């Protein structure tokens, strides 16, 4: 028996046998850590966790509710290495310092610790999680029928639809007639960066400059550049005659430029945030801003700010006067469409004659029908994706169609009873619809990123689309048949001659 | 006994506040079910509420299921014993939790003793609720697509000593393993305050 004792003594005194019950060597500890799974239960305890991005999720100390877990943070391990290479960015200096300097033994939970944790839990959750009971209503409701695929993917994107069996009445080229470069164009859904004048100039706002492209000659002029590098142009709109261009900027200015002389005529300030939308009604220029306010400017007088329309609580991204100048339609980021009269009401204040709330997304696409008065088309953003046609006098929605994709712009054709809409994810296409049947005539594909704006040439034959892929594509989709064109011109001239005869 | 809240009155009573919050949950849950595609969109119809056009379900079973919950919530809100309502969206095939909508409720318990209604206009509360619902609709722009068919569950966090009513059973919290979280707006009736957050499963690819 004494030999056992002696052997034990020897064992203790010898330094080269492995020591039982010793803490593991650092490299052994690390190997064990990288092998074993990190046992943290789902840390998605919402009230406490700040909405931070992914890289912080494995490193923030996970405070498990009410659980008396150890507070020591697992340091990120390097795979299998036995030399510890410090990584400063992933180290938590404060944590390390705290752990080194605190006095209590962290392994054992002292009663005060438990109290503290409980107090924290109550503070952060608003109640003691331990004390809360979680109840679930039993008897699950009927799930959606068997055949139902979760159609979110279909809801928010659209796959290529097979070509319609009915032949198109006319030939619409599927390729654009021309592609122009639009470098640095701002990929912001809420801005209106292109417009085509009646004198055939296409104005394009590229970040802080505005360029004019002459469709007839093809030449490009840089009209203006913002002084401050951080400012940008947020909207452009031509006056009906095509000699003045209104420019809305990010620093809340509305500028008026003379094209012939390439000079700025006026700089109208009245807004307090960026001016994302503009619309002309003879000499009245209406501007919509990020605050939701719409201002009317009389550009002929010094005191230009003649009226304020407050009907939106978020950015006004769609703004259009009707062709007869009686109504102004405005669409905002608050999902509302307001129809404003051209004159003030009895109280002297402007109030909308109609407000449409059916859209579930921002309404940027707003367009009046040129051949039917009081008919308005609107399109909703990503959350909505519907195109709606309204009669603004009665306030009824004449039709609604699901476009399956964010609608950025709608334009009615003056040559055919159709309208065209521009879309985003997933196909970035332009769709031509027949009115009033709402049947798809064709889809124009080509853009590789979402379409932002549409505008039409003065003859109504070409549509220009600006997209986030930094290109402008010109589509000859509403080209009039030359025979029909001659007939139309004849009809127009015939009318005027009859009037002439009548006056004799 | 708290009085019934008249629609044109300015004051908010405890019962009125419970009613407002319960109604919000009813429309909020319907919006979530529509926007996340849990049920076919054709089964939803539009109604006007809070000055918005909202979508509510027409399916009778689902309607009665939701009504049960809302009734119960109203009662518990009145007694100030409910702390949280959670809508859990999980995949049907593998029961994995994909999304978790959490509505925290803070109840001002002193309102139980008071008999005078509190000052807050209906319109102000409606505006706040409208912002929250609009935010729920707008979340579709960043929430990951739910590719598979999903089912939803409603969890309610109550005080521990509450007697479990029939039709209800106890449950776990059903957290999401690796989640990203976004805080939404909150609204308050001065008696109840509701904070909303949505947690979703982080995409497996970077």
């Amino acid at each position: 028996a004494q030999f056992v004792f002696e052997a034990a003594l020897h064992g203790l005194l010898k330094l080269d046998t492995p020591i039982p019950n010793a803490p593991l060597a650092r490299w052994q500890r690390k190997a064990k850590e990288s092998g074993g799974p990190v046992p943290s239960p789902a840390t998605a305890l919402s009230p406490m966790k700040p909405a931070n991005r992914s890289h912080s999720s494995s490193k923030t100390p996970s405070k498990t509710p009410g659980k008396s877990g150890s507070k020591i943070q697992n340091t990120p391990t390097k795979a299998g290495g036995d030399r510890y290479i410090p990584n400063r960015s992933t180290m938590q200096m404060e944590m390390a310092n705290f752990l080194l300097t605190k006095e209590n033994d962290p392994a054992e939970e002292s009663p005060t610790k438990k109290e503290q944790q409980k107090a924290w839990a109550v503070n952060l959750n608003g109640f003691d999680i331990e004390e809360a009971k979680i109840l679930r209503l039993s008897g699950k409701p009927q799930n959606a029928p068997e055949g139902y695929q979760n159609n979110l993917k279909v809801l928010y994107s659209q796959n290529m639809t097979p070509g319609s069996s009915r032949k198109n009445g006319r030939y619409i080229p599927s390729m654009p007639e021309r592609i122009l470069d639009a470098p640095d164009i701002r990929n912001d859904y809420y801005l209106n960066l292109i417009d085509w004048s009646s004198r055939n100039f296409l104005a394009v706002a590229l970040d802080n400059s505005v360029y004019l492209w002459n469709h007839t000659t093809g030449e490009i002029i840089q009209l203006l550049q913002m002084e401050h590098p951080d400012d940008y142009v947020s909207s452009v709109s031509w006056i009906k005659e095509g000699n003045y261009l209104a420019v809305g900027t990010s620093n809340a200015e509305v500028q008026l430029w003379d094209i012939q002389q390439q000079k700025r005529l006026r700089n109208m300030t009245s807004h307090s945030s960026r001016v994302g939308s503009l619309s002309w009604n003879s000499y009245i220029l209406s501007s919509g801003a990020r605050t939701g306010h719409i201002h009317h400017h009389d550009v002929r007088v010094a005191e230009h700010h003649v009226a304020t329309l407050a009907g939106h609580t978020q950015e006004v991204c769609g703004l259009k006067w009707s062709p007869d100048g009686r109504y102004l339609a405005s669409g905002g980021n608050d999902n509302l469409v307001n129809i404003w009269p051209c004159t003030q009401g009895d109280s002297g204040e402007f109030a909308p004659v109609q407000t449409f709330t059916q859209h579930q997304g921002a309404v940027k696409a707003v367009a009046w029908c040129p051949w039917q008065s009081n008919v308005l088309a609107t399109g909703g953003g990503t959350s909505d994706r519907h195109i709606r046609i309204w009669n603004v006098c009665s306030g009824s929605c004449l039709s609604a169609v699901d476009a399956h994709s964010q609608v950025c712009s709608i334009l009615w054709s003056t040559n055919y009873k159709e309208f065209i809409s521009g879309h985003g994810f997933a196909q970035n296409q332009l769709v031509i619809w027949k009115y009033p049947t709402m049947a798809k005539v064709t889809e124009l594909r080509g853009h590789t990123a979402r379409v932002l704006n549409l505008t039409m040439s003065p003859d109504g034959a070409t549509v220009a689309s600006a997209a986030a892929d930094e290109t402008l594509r010109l589509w000859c989709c509403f080209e009039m048949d030359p025979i029909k064109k001659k007939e139309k011109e004849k009809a127009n001239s015939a009318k005027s001659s009859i009037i002439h005869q009548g006056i004799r | 006994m708290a009085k019934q809240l008249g629609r044109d009155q300015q004051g908010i009573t405890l019962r009125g506040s419970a009613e407002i919050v319960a109604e919000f949950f009813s429309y909020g849950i319907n919006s979530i079910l529509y926007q996340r595609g849990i049920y076919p969109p054709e089964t939803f119809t539009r109604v006007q509420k809070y000055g918005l056009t909202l979508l509510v379900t027409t399916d009778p079973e689902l309607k009665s299921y939701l009504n049960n919950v809302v009734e119960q919530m109203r009662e518990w809100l009145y007694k100030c014993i409910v702390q949280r309502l959670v809508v859990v969206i999980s995949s049907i095939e593998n029961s994995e939790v994909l999304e978790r909508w959490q509505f925290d409720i803070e109840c001002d318990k002193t309102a139980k003793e008071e008999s005078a209604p509190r000052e807050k206009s209906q319109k102000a509360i409606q505006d706040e609720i409208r912002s929250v619902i609009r935010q729920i609709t707008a979340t579709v722009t960043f929430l990951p697509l739910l590719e598979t068919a999903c089912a939803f569950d409603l969890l309610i966090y109550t005080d521990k000593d509450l007697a479990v009513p029939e039709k209800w059973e106890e449950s776990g919290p059903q957290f999401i393993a690796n989640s990203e979280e976004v805080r939404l707006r909150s609204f308050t009736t001065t008696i109840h305050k509701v904070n909303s957050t949505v947690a979703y499963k982080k995409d497996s690819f970077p």
Side-chain angles (χ1 to χ4, degrees):
Chain A
Q2 70 178 75
F3 286 118
V4 176
F5 176 68
E6 229 182 309
L9 257 181
H10 271 283
L12 280 171
L13 293 172
K14 246 200 271 198
L15 287 175
D16 49 0
T17 53
I19 309 167
N21 295 337
L24 288 173
R26 189 184 184 79
W27 60 270
Q28 282 174 330
R29 256 215 317 267
K30 287 221 163 291
K32 209 169 92 172
E33 268 174 17
S34 58
V38 177
S40 60
T43 52
L45 199 57
S46 344
M48 306 187 277
K49 194 168 178 190
N52 270 329
R53 296 295 120 203
S54 41
H55 58 263
S56 61
S57 63
S58 59
K59 284 160 195 105
T60 45
S62 32
K63 193 160 270 171
T64 53
K67 196 166 172 211
S68 49
S70 134
K71 284 216 234 103
I72 297 178
Q73 177 58 37
N74 290 323
T75 47
T77 54
K78 298 279 183 222
D82 56 353
R83 176 168 156 247
Y84 179 58
I85 301 161
N87 182 351
R88 282 217 181 267
S89 61
T90 58
M91 286 177 114
Q92 292 178 293
M93 291 306 190
E94 298 91 74
M95 188 54 151
N97 190 40
F98 169 67
L99 287 173
L100 283 171
T101 55
K102 75 177 181 199
E103 282 146 19
N104 294 335
D105 182 356
E108 217 172 60
E109 279 294 319
S110 52
T112 44
K113 262 286 121 76
K114 273 214 189 84
E115 282 295 313
Q116 226 177 5
Q117 283 199 323
K118 195 161 174 183
W120 273 329
V122 175
N123 256 342
L124 293 165
N125 291 327
F127 58 94
D128 194 350
I129 287 273
E130 292 277 81
E131 297 301 308
K133 199 156 39 178
I134 304 175
L135 295 180
R136 193 180 140 263
L137 185 56
S138 56
K140 261 199 158 122
Q142 181 93 38
N143 283 335
E146 281 303 312
Y148 173 61
Q149 293 282 39
N150 189 334
N151 280 335
L152 267 192
K153 210 162 191 174
V154 175
L155 257 184
Y156 302 129
S157 65
Q158 198 198 14
N159 293 320
M160 304 272 272
T161 45
S164 64
S165 48
R166 206 170 86 81
K167 240 184 88 119
N168 234 339
R170 69 180 189 277
Y171 169 63
I172 300 175
S174 57
M175 299 292 286
E177 153 202 51
R178 217 187 186 117
I179 302 182
L180 300 172
D181 223 4
D184 293 333
I185 194 166
R186 287 192 82 95
N187 182 5
D188 188 332
Y189 176 77
Y190 300 100
L191 307 183
N192 288 285
L193 302 174
I194 57 175
D195 197 18
W196 207 321
S197 78
S198 53
R199 298 192 185 179
N200 226 347
F201 276 87
L202 181 59
V204 183
L206 298 180
D207 199 23
N208 60 356
S209 324
V210 173
Y211 293 87
L212 302 180
W213 183 69
N214 188 332
H215 188 177
T216 12
T217 65
E219 68 167 313
I220 301 178
I221 311 164
Q222 181 178 14
L223 179 65
L224 68 97
Q225 186 162 17
M226 304 282 296
E227 291 118 28
H228 210 267
D230 291 335
D231 289 334
Y232 56 89
V233 178
S234 46
S235 55
V236 293
S237 181
W238 290 99
I239 198 172
K240 197 169 84 173
E241 292 75 25
N243 49 351
Y244 297 134
L245 178 67
V247 176
T249 67
S250 60
N251 59 355
E253 296 173 344
V254 178
Q255 302 181 1
L256 199 57
W257 286 75
D258 181 327
I259 300 312
Q260 239 106 23
Q261 306 170 25
Q262 291 189 34
K263 265 177 67 170
R264 190 174 77 184
L265 294 175
R266 294 195 73 162
N267 188 357
M268 303 182 278
T269 47
S270 58
H271 281 294
S272 49
S273 56
R274 81 174 180 191
V275 181
S277 48
L278 296 167
S279 185
W280 285 93
N281 179 3
S282 77
Y283 53 79
I284 298 283
L285 172 64
S286 304
S287 55
R290 198 171 212 170
T291 53
H293 290 107
I294 300 168
H295 290 180
H296 286 327
H297 307 272
D298 184 335
V299 301
R300 309 165 302 178
V301 301
E303 282 300 310
H304 55 88
H305 182 188
V306 295
T308 306
L309 278 55
H312 290 281
T313 49
Q314 289 183 56
E315 180 146 32
V316 178
C317 38
L319 197 63
K320 282 275 158 51
W321 276 99
S322 61
D324 53 14
R326 287 169 58 209
Y327 294 113
L328 173 66
S330 65
N333 194 23
D334 51 4
N335 309 353
L336 296 180
V337 178
N338 279 319
I339 310 292
W340 307 87
C342 53
T343 48
Q344 287 139 317
D346 294 322
S347 58
E349 289 293 311
F350 276 94
V353 295
Q354 297 284 357
T355 301
F356 303 131
T357 59
Q358 277 86 328
H359 280 290
Q360 303 280 312
V363 184
K364 179 177 161 196
V366 174
W368 293 91
C369 182
W371 65 85
Q372 252 189 309
S373 61
N374 305 321
V375 169
L376 177 74
T378 56
T382 312
S383 323
D384 178 72
R385 308 169 303 279
H386 279 68
I387 296 175
R388 288 175 176 275
I389 316 284
W390 312 86
N391 178 320
V392 300
C393 284
S394 65
S396 58
C397 181
L398 304 174
S399 39
V401 65
D402 190 351
H404 297 294
S405 175
Q406 172 193 68
V407 185
C408 68
S409 188
I410 295 179
L411 288 177
W412 292 85
S413 169
T414 41
N415 299 338
Y416 297 93
K417 298 248 181 301
E418 296 167 359
F419 63 88
I420 186 170
S421 57
H423 297 277
F425 180 77
Q427 293 184 54
N428 314 316
Q429 80 278 44
L430 281 75
V431 181
I432 302 184
W433 309 80
K434 194 110 193 79
Y435 181 77
T437 57
M438 303 302 267
K440 263 192 214 180
V441 172
T442 186
E443 297 194 24
L444 300 172
R445 289 189 191 90
H447 278 297
T448 53
R450 67 174 174 177
V451 181
L452 296 167
N453 291 113
L454 295 179
T455 185
M456 197 181 287
S457 62
D459 61 3
T462 311
V463 169
S465 59
D469 59 3
E470 298 188 335
T471 62
L472 253 81
R473 283 169 208 242
L474 275 67
W475 312 84
C476 254
C477 45
F478 294 126
E479 190 84 60
M480 281 284 265
D481 200 358
I483 307 166
K484 291 213 185 106
K485 217 190 234 169
K486 272 206 198 105
E487 280 178 8
K488 208 175 178 191
E489 278 170 32
K490 226 172 161 189
N492 282 339
S493 52
K495 263 190 229 141
S496 47
S497 57
I498 289 173
I499 294 171
H500 251 73
Q501 283 175 350
I503 291 177
R504 200 168 324 146
Chain B
M1 257 289 265
K3 333 193 262 291
Q4 275 297 323
L5 178 69
R7 280 286 164 245
D8 26 23
Q9 270 177 286
Q10 287 287 72
I12 303 288
T13 59
L14 178 58
R15 193 169 277 288
S17 176
E19 169 73 42
I20 292 174
V21 179
E23 216 177 29
F24 160 73
F25 282 134
S26 161
Y27 288 102
I29 295 172
N30 269 293
S31 295
I32 293 173
L33 294 180
Y34 171 78
Q35 288 295 341
R36 305 312 288 144
I38 313 290
Y39 290 90
E42 310 83 67
T43 61
F44 287 83
T45 179
R46 286 158 201 275
V47 296
Q48 284 288 334
K49 185 79 194 174
Y50 308 124
L52 291 175
T53 300
L54 297 177
L55 289 131
V56 293
T57 183
T58 52
D59 180 292
E61 266 199 52
L62 182 55
K63 257 165 108 163
S64 67
Y65 179 83
L66 288 179
N67 280 338
N68 269 341
V69 177
V70 169
E71 276 304 312
Q72 195 58 260
M73 281 300 288
R74 197 175 295 141
E75 216 186 281
W76 284 337
L77 280 165
Y78 178 65
K79 296 193 197 144
C80 288
I81 48 181
V82 60
Q83 287 129 9
R84 195 180 279 184
L85 173 84
V86 180
V87 182
V88 177
I89 296 176
S90 45
S91 160
I92 290 185
E93 19 176 279
N94 55 8
S95 298
E96 190 190 2
V97 181
L98 298 172
E99 251 175 49
R100 201 169 179 275
W101 295 77
Q102 183 168 294
F103 300 95
D104 295 317
I105 303 161
E106 286 163 29
C107 182
D108 189 350
K109 302 231 160 107
T110 62
K112 268 192 186 160
E113 290 89 52
E114 285 172 19
S115 51
R118 304 234 181 142
E119 282 302 307
K120 183 155 188 185
S121 73
Q122 282 276 11
K123 188 168 182 310
I125 299 176
Q126 278 220 347
D127 282 343
E128 289 179 18
I129 293 182
R130 183 175 31 229
S131 308
V132 181
I133 296 209
R134 228 190 265 132
Q135 258 198 322
I136 293 177
T137 310
T139 55
V140 71
T141 50
F142 63 84
L143 288 178
L145 290 177
L146 297 175
E147 314 260 330
T148 61
C150 292
F152 79 100
D153 245 329
L154 289 173
L155 305 179
I156 301 189
Y157 285 55
T158 62
D159 282 349
K160 198 160 196 179
D161 42 1
L162 174 72
V164 182
E166 75 173 57
K167 292 198 207 162
W168 291 80
E169 58 195 27
E170 298 211 24
S171 152
Q174 298 194 40
F175 288 125
I176 300 181
N178 188 23
S179 74
E180 200 73 72
E181 223 177 85
V182 177
R183 258 211 94 154
L184 303 179
R185 287 191 140 112
S186 61
F187 75 91
T188 170
T189 62
T190 67
I191 298 180
H192 290 103
K193 179 162 192 249
V194 179
N195 298 311
S196 330
T197 49
V198 56
Y200 54 97
K201 185 160 177 286
K202 270 200 280 222
D203 275 336
S204 32
F205 359 134

